[in-house]
């Protein structure tokens, strides 16, 4: 499996150790959720290709990464659903 079958758009949190790491994370993101982006925890939205690139970046630089929203599209759709 090469990962291209993945269709989710996760929201992730990355702990950026310095400004260089923060800029690299933000450059890979579709949307930056963090109000004041800077070194420290950054929350971003990524597409599947960006997620794979972000995982590689985090592994190479030793940055902790965790998924905070499994699929932004599903979460957005269910939050706008009228019962």
């Amino acid at each position: 499996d090469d990962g291209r079958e993945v269709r989710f758009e996760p929201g992730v949190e990355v702990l950026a150790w310095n400004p260089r790491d923060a800029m690299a994370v933000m450059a890979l993101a579709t949307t930056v959720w963090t109000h004041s982006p800077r070194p420290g925890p950054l929350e971003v939205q990524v597409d599947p290709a960006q997620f794979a690139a972000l995982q590689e970046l985090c592994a190479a630089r030793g940055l902790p990464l965790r998924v905070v929203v499994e699929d932004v599209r599903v979460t957005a759709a269910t939050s706008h659903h009228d019962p």
Side-chain angles (χ1 to χ4, degrees):
D1 181 24
D2 61 4
R4 285 187 277 178
E5 296 294 320
V6 177
R7 298 282 183 239
F8 66 94
E9 292 185 15
V12 298
E13 180 183 79
V14 177
L15 183 56
W17 301 119
N18 55 53
R20 184 176 139 250
D21 292 337
M23 293 301 292
V25 169
M26 290 186 292
L28 289 173
T30 301
T31 306
V32 177
W33 291 345
T34 302
H35 180 66
S36 298
R38 60 182 172 270
L42 294 173
E43 287 192 354
V44 298
Q45 178 183 347
V46 292
D47 66 26
Q50 292 164 326
F51 184 61
L54 189 58
Q55 287 178 305
E56 289 178 22
L57 174 81
C58 290
R61 295 190 181 184
L63 306 176
L65 175 147
R66 71 181 180 100
V67 174
V68 293
V69 177
E70 287 292 326
D71 190 342
V72 172
R73 295 172 306 157
V74 170
T75 302
T78 58
S79 68
H80 290 84
H81 176 71
D82 291 329

